[in-house]
Amino acid sequence: MTVQLTVLGNPGHRRVTLFAAAARAAGLPEPAVLPWLDVLRGRYRLPEGGLLRIESPGEEPEVDRLLRGPVLGPGYAPTRVEGTAAWYAGIMAALRGLAARPGVRLLGDPEEIAVMFDKRRAHALLAGAGVPVPRALGGEVAGWEHLRERLAAAGLRRVFVKPAHGSSASGVMALEFGPRGQLLATTSVELADGRLHNSLRVRRYRSEREVAAIVDGLAPDGLHVEQWIPKASQSGRSADLRVVVVAGRATHAVVRTSGQPMTNLHLGGARGSIEQAREAAGPAWPALVETAEQAAACFPGSPMVGVDVLPTAGWRRALVGEVNAFGDLLPDLTGLPGGPAEGLDTYGAQVAALTVPSPSSPSATDHQITESAR
């Protein structure tokens, strides 16, 4: 029997359309789409039976306005960086409400998504499981003065300051103190009229007054502070890896390089060469990939996670920076050679992990959802 898939997502978004294309290619029916807006407004009906795939609620202005608009008031703009705690609370309330409905089968555990979307909790979980992670400051950060005091006490002079519930490097600041107290903050945050806006242009702030304004503006939503680890390089640029893990196996990896501390592609980062990375790592490459799988194993109820792997200088060892619930949007990237998803994109790999030929069906194009995916 063929099982109907439904995608909780934003209609027309490339995440939804790419997954639908992978389902069709595998011989499955066109997935139904359950709009995030309908769920957040409480006006929706779930298709009977089937499985519900959870997709990112991002990049939909009305979803963002509904979640963050009330807390930002008349100064709301989709580019604002503040209000992430309200965004997080709203998304998690919606997912938990769905999970509580009788008969709903979710592809993805809302409670694991809750951890992945809280960098403080995710870091603590990974560290407790023995996954190598950067040293973190831990605890609450009340604002700039408090952060300065805690960094001095910890002996940390180069750190990343991240909104606990942020994504796509929004609000992230690479902060460093020079030997004579000089201050440099590198971030995509733009200060305008006392408000914080996300920008596609990376800025450098040297004024303590401006840095304090950014930290004080983000602190009420929660901050995660971790040591800035010097990363490996490729072609003279800082490099890290996004590794997609599907059903416990690393299926895809992309090298991200940048001349900035943040390697996100939308901030000027570029895809590097996976072949050069494997050559540079040499015999250490399998361990780098296994580090991603080790991190993913901390989220057994999540059929896919995207792991940010931070190779250290020389590509000999790696730490895990973040684990992403929706880290699979990597268009035109096929699976690692010799791996379980060779020739497939990230969505095709996930569909393949969900489906097997039905032994009772005479047709190889009939599929059933495996019990392990339920």
Side-chain angles (χ1 to χ4, degrees), residues 7 18 24 47 66 95 101 162 323:
V7 178
L18 287 170
R24 292 193 302 270
L66 183 62
L95 289 181
R101 290 202 167 201
K162 304 178 180 182
V323 180

Side-chain angles (χ1 to χ4, degrees), residues 253-332:
V254 62
V255 179
R256 306 182 301 183
T257 72
S258 178
Q260 309 285 355
M262 289 79 73
T263 58
N264 302 72
L265 302 181
H266 70 285
L267 294 178
R271 287 192 185 185
S273 167
I274 196 71
E275 292 78 14
Q276 289 182 29
R278 295 183 76 149
E279 182 179 352
W285 176 257
L288 299 184
V289 174
E290 288 165 9
T291 298
E293 293 177 344
Q294 185 185 1
C298 295
F299 303 92
S302 301
M304 184 286 305
V305 294
V307 184
D308 289 347
V309 176
L310 314 177
T312 58
W315 296 86
R316 292 298 179 263
R317 57 186 293 268
L319 296 87
V320 171
E322 297 183 18
V323 180
N324 305 271
F326 308 114
D328 54 357
L329 183 58
L330 298 169
D332 304 318

Side-chain angles (χ1 to χ4, degrees), residues 4 6 11 23 29 37 40 97 105 155 215 218 220 244 262 268 312 330 335 365:
Q4 176 67 48
T6 299
L37 264 179
L40 293 174
R105 292 187 294 162
V215 173
L218 296 176
V244 175
M262 289 79 73
T312 58
L330 298 169
T365 60

